[in-house]
Structures are given as C-alpha cells and as structure tokens.
Amino acid sequence: KPKEAKRDTRTASRKFMSGPRSHKVTDPTKLAGEDPFCDLKVDCSGASNRNFVDGKEYRTQSGQCNNLDNYKWGMAGVQHKRLFENAYDDGKWNPRRKSVTGTNNEIVLLPGTRNISNAVHATDSDKPLNKESLSDAFFYFMQFITHDVTKTPEGDHKTNDDCCDSTKRIKSPFCLAVNVEETDDFFSSLGDCFDVHRSFTVLDCNDTSGFRNQINDITAYIDGSMLYGSSGAELNELRSFIAGFLKNSTANLMPEGVGTEDMECDNVEDPALCFLAGDTRANVHPGLTTFHTVFMREHNRVAAYLGELNAAWNDDRIFQETRRIVAAELQHITFNEMLPKVLDSSYVSKYGLSAFYSYNKSVDASVIQEFNFGFRFHNLMPAVLHLAELVGSSVENMATLEQENVFQHPGLLVKDNYRGVDQVLLGIVANGCPFINGLMNDASRNFLFLEENGDSYDLASVNIERGRDWGTPAYYLYRQLCGGVTISVWTDLASTHSADVIADLQIVYASPKDVDLWTGLVTETAVGTSIAGPTMSCLIATQFANLRNGDRFWYETSNADLKFTTDQLSELKKVTLARVLCDNLDVATMRKDVFSISDSWVDCSTISGMALSFWTD
Ligand code: HEM
Ligand SMILES: [Ca+2]
C-alpha cells in the first residue's frame, strides 16, 4: 500500500512545512495586538458608512453597519464572542494546559493532544458509509458555508519559525508544540513533536488584566464573502467592472491567483495553478474549489440576465443586485437543504430556524468561538475523492484519488480538457461520506497536507490544540449550559456518549471535567438522523439562529427598503443547489437532493428553479 511505503521512508527530522498549515492574517495592520475597533466610533445613521447604489441600500463589503446601533456586529476583523469566561491558565493568554485534578501544590497537566487523537479519534480502517447516505457534496458544501462565516487568522510568526525547536518551543509567543510519543505509529519516525502556530489575538476592549481574544477575518453573515471578499480591496481584485461581472479565466473557471504562499495551493503534484476567490482557503480541496467555481459562474449568469432586463443599470447596480441575489440563494440553500441534515428537526424548531423571520436588532451575529469548534465536522472527511462521469444513463466513478494527493490541488479542475470541474462535482454528489461519531480517518489524522519531505498534519490534534490556544473551557460546561446536566463523574456522560467512547476518553483524561470541547462534541452520539449530538446541536443552532435573526439584510426581510418583492422572494425560494449546479456545470443529470446518495438521478430539465424575469426595474 502506498501509505505504508511513505511511512517507512520518512526518517528526516520534522521540519517546518513550507506551506501554511492554517490561515494567515490578510491585513498586516491587524498584527498590532490592539483591537482597532475598541475606540473606533462609526456612525451608521446616515449614508456615509453604508452602501447605497442608485438610492438603494446593499450590504457593505466588511459587514459594517449591518446592525445600525452596533456597527461592528458580524463585521470582518472583530473578536469572536465567548459563552463563558476564558480558561487560559493565567486568565490572560497562556494556553489551557492544567487538569482539574491538580492542586495548588501540584500541577497536573492535561493529556497531549496527539495522545487524545490516537486514543479517541483514530480508526484504522476507512470508515463505512454513514447510515443516512449523506453525499461527499454535503461535506464540501458545509466547508464552503463555513468559509462564509469564520476564518481565524494566525499570529505574526515568521514563515520559518520552527515551533519544535527546543528553545522556541518555550520562548516564541506564537508557538504550540504537539508532543509525539515514541510509540506513535505514524508520526514518531519524524521526531518527537509537530508544530502549530497560535492564533492571532487582540487585547480585549473592556478588560484591563491583559486578556487576549481571537478575531474573525471575514464577515460572519451568510453574505457570500467567500465569493466577494470581506473588504473593498479584496472585492476590487475580483470584479471585472464590466456589466456587473466577476472576473473569470479559461473555461469559465475562477481567475488565477499569483503566489501560492497564502493561498493553500501548494500540493507537490501540481504547485503551479492557484485560483483567486473571496476567501484564501478556496484552493484547499477541489471539492470546495468546485463550489466556489459554480457560485462565481452563478453570479455571472445572473448578472448577464439582469443586465439584459435592465438596460439602464450600470455595472455597479448590476453587481450589487446580483450579489444580493446570490447571497439570498446561499442563505436559502443553507437553511432549506443543509441545516436540516446537520440538525435534528427538534433543534430546528426549538431554535426557531424555520420560524417566521423577523429581524432582531439586539442579536449579535458575530461568531461564537465555541460554535467554531462545534462546526468542525472533520470527522466526516471522505477518505478518497472520486471523479465521475455520466456513462449511458448512469453516473459512474472514473478514478479514485487518495486525499493526500488531492488536498491543495485545484489543478484537478482543469484536467481532461477542463472536464475536471464537472467530474469532481459528479464524484462528490455520487458518493457517500463516512460518519461515525468522533472518528477520523487517516486522510485527516495523518496525511493532511502531505509534503514532499513527508511532513503532514493531524487535524484532530490541531482542533484540540486550538481550543487550548484560545483558552476555551472544557466540554462539560457546555453540556451543563445546553442540557442542564451536571458532569462530575464519568457515568454522567452516559446520556450523550457511548460506553466505548467513554472508555476511550478514560484512557487519556484524568477527569470528565478535563475533556476538551471539540473532542467532547464530536464524540457525542448524534441525535436522531442528524450528524450532531445534543451539545453540538445547541451550539450550531444558536449560531445559525444569530446569523439569521441578527442579519438586517436577511433575504426574507419584510423591511420596505431592503426586501425582495413578493414575486422575487417566491422565485428565490424555488432555488435548490441541484438547479444551481445544473445551470453552471456541463452536466445533464443531477440528484434533486444533492446531499443524499439515496436520491435518484434525474434529467436536469426536470429540476425547476427561479425565474429572473421578476427583476425588471
Ligand atoms: C477538505 C476538507 C477540509 C480540510 C482540509 C479542512 C482543514 C482545516 C484546517 C487546516 C483548519 C485550521 C485548523 C486550525 O488551525 O485550527 C480548519 C478549520 C476549520 N474547519 Fe475545516 N477542513 C475541511 C473541511 C471542513 C468542513 C466540511 C467543515 C464544516 C462542516 C469544516 C469546519 C471548519 C471550521 C469551523 C474551522 C475553523 C475556521 C476558523 O475560524 O478559522 N472544515 N479546517
Ligand atoms: Ca460572510
């Protein structure tokens, strides 16, 4: 097996990986360490800090003044919110490392995160299909929506900072070092450590103790920021400034970007090609890159239509109106098709996610940091990527690629004379993603972002390490908050976790009150047919309710100045992801429910969509 061979030849000591492992700050002024928004006053009452075109108001690019009383709610660059006080060891910034079993006289450390990954999250076989027949497209679409909502930048480390270096391991304020035991099946041949860089932080505005908090680089609102960017400067790179269009490149793919450093397209197989999108992570996986491509095309498809209907509209007006429609489609698909498969219907109704929409100006849509962990569904990562084609009347797999050859490899889209993009899409709709509570396959636990020198990455460890980096409190507090269940002994977890999982947790953790948030969440037994346990569902539903109720521009708004007409809204509500895919790819057949592999394939002509004729001015 190729995987074995790679493992055996990797004898070099662990070096810093040349590409980024996590996401970098795009705006260097944000590295200052002070929160620029603490003292900044922005007046949203007039037009000057908002976005009016031809007298009509649209979203600002940064999300500023979406909330008119609190200009920075949900805006790019603002701090993540917290549901509890921080759990940093020093209350300020030192990572959470201490077990509750320690005393004033004797500190007991939490288990190493790679040890937790090995004991709790490992599976030695590629996981079987999930019982609900969720498609790989469901997985990559969730990632696509994640990238509309949250991106937490890394701190100001030098590219060659080696956090495993014995002196820096202690000294560099930007380093976390994950210990690797000699007994580690996979990573031990590379050394005793792998490095993770700490997230960028700012000093909290109201706190004088020196407490530091993480920020969101992008707009939290579901507004298509991964397509349009989260600042005017980012958008200017993407717009063609002709007839409302976004730039594209050969075969109607996204424009090519320059430089691979920040853009996560440094796969050893094909480092040359890199696409430019509104979010720098667009190249991290071809499944994701395909969704970016489809929605960029959807923008241009809608813009062309609006331009024809409204000869008097200029580039700016067409652009803004199209962006408004595309954001509405994303919101509709997320709430109508995606969330009902993430959450059990009991959570959808309890949190009012399908209730009548009414804007609530006291709701802050900014990202709750605990949600950030609750939505890291890396345990659904498919082990392989299939490329598929329509053969006769059925969709068949043409090739099966190991994930380590596919991460950061957008070049797949141009393969086969540009049929790559269609083949990737058909492949992820045709095949099912794996799902077992809390287990991660080798692709994400050992082979993520594999480098030529054998370096790679364990996403389970990193997720746990990230929680400690952020001073995120342990899982048990959230079980208490969401479920009203007090956790003091292991058996208290029995209502949320299987006996097997509890036994695995006990191998590494000294106390159930030590269990890290991400680990506790992904190992919960999922509710009903959903993919999330009770506490995870609570965090996810809370955030998505805020993204809806706290968004003044939500597509279902009844505000006279912002709303779609009744006709337009009823057209928008006909939109399905299947229709968007049919409209923007060279495919003749699709599943009406793109997220379910038990749905049958139908001819694209039988899938209805929205009529844009209602957009004549
Ligand atoms: C090809 C598939 C994927 C890859 C390679 C990937 C990789 C990563 C990496 C490297 C990080 C940064 C981890 C850190 O340093 O803390 C991350 C963060 C994250 N991932 Fe994924 N991921 C994938 C799919 C997904 C999916 C499907 C979801 C959601 C269902 C998701 C949700 C998240 C979230 C919420 C974060 C935190 C984002 C932030 O605020 O920076 N990921 N992912
Ligand atoms: Ca956004």
Side-chain angles (χ1 to χ4, degrees):
K1 277 183 72 181
K3 281 180 186 176
E4 298 297 334
K6 268 178 202 140
R7 201 172 308 186
D8 292 343
T9 54
R10 301 198 305 166
T11 49
S13 71
R14 181 156 279 277
K15 286 258 156 49
F16 180 74
M17 216 177 69
S18 58
R21 300 189 149 182
S22 171
H23 315 304
K24 296 220 167 70
V25 168
T26 43
D27 176 359
T29 60
K30 289 184 193 150
L31 295 173
E34 303 276 329
D35 183 336
F37 301 114
C38 285
D39 299 321
L40 186 70
K41 303 266 178 291
V42 172
D43 179 8
C44 300
S45 60
S48 57
N49 292 312
R50 286 150 68 183
N51 179 17
F52 286 86
V53 175
D54 290 354
K56 190 170 159 46
E57 187 178 9
Y58 296 97
R59 294 172 185 278
T60 56
Q61 209 52 42
S62 65
Q64 164 179 295
C65 291
N66 183 309
N67 186 299
L68 296 176
D69 297 336
N70 296 282
Y71 77 93
K72 61 180 171 180
W73 281 5
M75 183 181 164
V78 306
Q79 298 181 28
H80 288 324
K81 296 192 295 180
R82 289 170 183 262
L83 296 175
F84 284 109
E85 296 274 293
N86 77 71
Y88 292 121
D89 273 355
D90 62 350
K92 299 176 191 173
W93 194 41
N94 284 346
R96 169 179 168 265
R97 293 270 179 237
K98 291 183 197 155
S99 162
V100 296
T101 59
T103 61
N104 282 345
N105 300 328
E106 191 203 2
I107 292 171
V108 177
L109 292 180
L110 292 170
T113 56
R114 175 66 182 174
N115 297 19
I116 300 167
S117 172
N118 284 337
V120 180
H121 301 292
T123 168
D124 47 13
S125 60
D126 285 339
K127 294 176 289 176
L129 288 187
N130 62 80
K131 59 180 187 299
E132 315 315 333
S133 333
L134 297 165
S135 68
D136 290 353
F138 173 68
F139 177 82
Y140 297 112
F141 190 82
M142 285 203 294
Q143 186 182 26
F144 186 56
I145 293 303
T146 298
H147 293 183
D148 197 338
V149 175
T150 181
K151 177 187 171 196
T152 315
E154 279 189 353
D156 180 22
H157 59 83
K158 301 284 173 292
T159 329
N160 286 321
D161 242 4
D162 176 359
C163 293
C164 286
D165 179 287
S166 56
T167 51
K168 285 192 195 127
R169 208 186 279 200
I170 303 151
K171 281 188 189 145
S172 171
F174 302 110
C175 276
L176 296 169
V178 178
N179 279 325
V180 173
E181 308 268 332
E182 270 175 42
T183 50
D184 195 290
D185 275 355
F186 187 84
F187 282 120
S188 58
S189 60
L190 293 155
D192 63 354
C193 157
F194 71 84
D195 57 353
V196 177
H197 291 105
R198 296 197 67 179
S199 293
F200 174 67
T201 53
V202 291
L203 286 167
D204 190 68
C205 299
N206 304 318
D207 191 290
T208 47
S209 70
F211 155 54
R212 305 186 71 90
N213 204 11
Q214 292 69 29
I215 64 163
N216 192 354
D217 226 13
I218 62 175
T219 69
Y221 302 104
I222 302 172
D223 57 358
S225 53
M226 71 296 215
L227 305 169
Y228 304 109
S230 290
S231 71
E234 284 170 12
L235 176 62
N236 287 347
E237 292 292 307
L238 296 158
R239 274 178 72 171
S240 76
F241 295 102
I242 299 165
F245 291 128
L246 288 171
K247 284 183 198 162
N248 62 1
S249 66
T250 313
N252 204 0
L253 297 174
M254 288 185 282
E256 285 181 28
V258 276
T260 58
E261 169 65 20
D262 276 357
M263 293 180 49
E264 318 232 9
C265 34
D266 58 351
N267 187 285
V268 287
E269 304 259 316
D270 185 1
L273 186 69
C274 193
F275 292 110
L276 183 68
D279 186 279
T280 52
R281 297 165 293 186
N283 296 289
V284 88
H285 191 283
L288 175 71
T289 317
T290 298
F291 280 121
H292 271 276
T293 308
V294 162
F295 278 88
M296 177 221 62
R297 290 176 179 181
E298 174 69 356
H299 176 99
N300 287 348
R301 188 187 76 85
V302 172
Y305 214 101
L306 295 189
E308 259 175 42
L309 284 179
N310 300 286
W313 288 8
N314 64 10
D315 165 64
D316 223 25
R317 179 73 196 277
I318 302 173
F319 174 79
Q320 294 296 350
E321 193 61 33
T322 305
R323 170 169 167 259
R324 176 173 175 243
I325 292 171
V326 171
E329 292 182 279
L330 289 168
Q331 295 188 332
H332 185 64
I333 294 167
T334 301
F335 273 66
N336 207 43
E337 298 187 64
M338 186 190 96
L339 281 181
K341 289 200 159 59
V342 176
L343 299 171
D344 186 73
S345 57
S346 58
Y347 284 85
V348 171
S349 49
K350 184 173 170 199
Y351 288 82
L353 299 178
S354 57
F356 183 78
Y357 168 78
S358 134
Y359 176 58
N360 182 346
K361 68 175 191 169
S362 59
V363 171
D364 179 356
S366 306
V367 164
I368 299 166
Q369 66 135 284
E370 290 88 346
F371 156 78
N372 186 295
F373 293 103
F375 209 63
R376 295 187 183 213
F377 278 111
H378 297 136
N379 54 324
L380 273 75
M381 177 107 52
V384 293
L385 177 71
H386 301 281
L387 304 180
E389 277 284 16
L390 181 65
V391 181
S393 58
S394 64
V395 175
E396 287 176 15
N397 291 338
M398 312 290 292
T400 300
L401 307 172
E402 297 286 333
Q403 288 284 35
E404 63 254 38
N405 300 322
V406 166
F407 293 129
Q408 303 171 307
H409 191 185
L412 266 184
L413 271 57
V414 309
K415 290 275 153 70
D416 270 3
N417 200 18
Y418 302 102
R419 263 215 72 72
V421 63
D422 306 288
Q423 292 169 351
V424 168
L425 191 278
L426 287 172
I428 64 176
V429 175
N431 295 280
C433 76
F435 172 58
I436 299 177
N437 300 322
L439 295 186
M440 306 257 288
N441 52 26
D442 279 359
S444 53
R445 233 180 52 80
N446 285 332
F447 287 105
L448 192 69
F449 306 157
L450 186 70
E451 297 281 300
E452 218 154 7
N453 66 1
D455 247 349
S456 62
Y457 192 63
D458 171 4
L459 198 47
S461 297
V462 175
N463 288 335
I464 305 165
E465 203 71 35
R466 191 60 71 208
R468 297 180 183 180
D469 172 29
W470 293 7
T472 308
Y475 164 80
Y476 81 96
L477 277 178
Y478 299 91
R479 176 65 183 139
Q480 217 154 292
L481 178 76
C482 288
V485 177
T486 309
I487 308 284
S488 30
V489 291
W490 286 104
T491 46
D492 294 334
L493 290 179
S495 58
T496 40
H497 293 73
S498 72
D500 283 355
V501 166
I502 295 174
D504 288 346
L505 290 169
Q506 277 181 279
I507 297 172
V508 271
Y509 287 107
S511 159
K513 289 178 145 182
D514 281 344
V515 175
D516 294 88
L517 179 60
W518 180 78
T519 291
L521 293 174
V522 288
T523 52
E524 283 188 333
T525 305
V527 184
T529 59
S530 78
I531 56 167
T535 315
M536 197 174 203
S537 300
C538 157
L539 295 173
I540 293 171
T542 302
Q543 180 72 54
F544 278 95
N546 291 356
L547 290 173
R548 183 177 189 241
N549 301 331
D551 183 358
R552 189 163 60 91
F553 295 90
W554 185 259
Y555 77 113
E556 292 165 298
T557 181
S558 53
N559 179 312
D561 297 328
L562 304 174
K563 68 178 186 145
F564 289 103
T565 66
T566 312
D567 286 337
Q568 289 171 344
L569 185 60
S570 80
E571 290 306 311
L572 281 166
K573 291 196 165 180
K574 292 178 191 163
V575 169
T576 60
L577 185 55
R579 187 65 246 165
V580 176
L581 296 172
C582 282
D583 278 336
N584 296 293
L585 287 165
D586 189 11
V587 297
T589 180
M590 192 47 61
R591 290 183 154 128
K592 280 191 177 155
D593 182 353
V594 170
F595 296 150
S596 166
I597 57 162
S598 52
D599 204 26
S600 50
W601 294 91
V602 296
D603 196 281
C604 271
S605 62
T606 64
I607 301 175
S608 55
M610 65 170 165
L612 286 164
S613 50
F614 294 99
W615 269 265
T616 320
D617 218 5

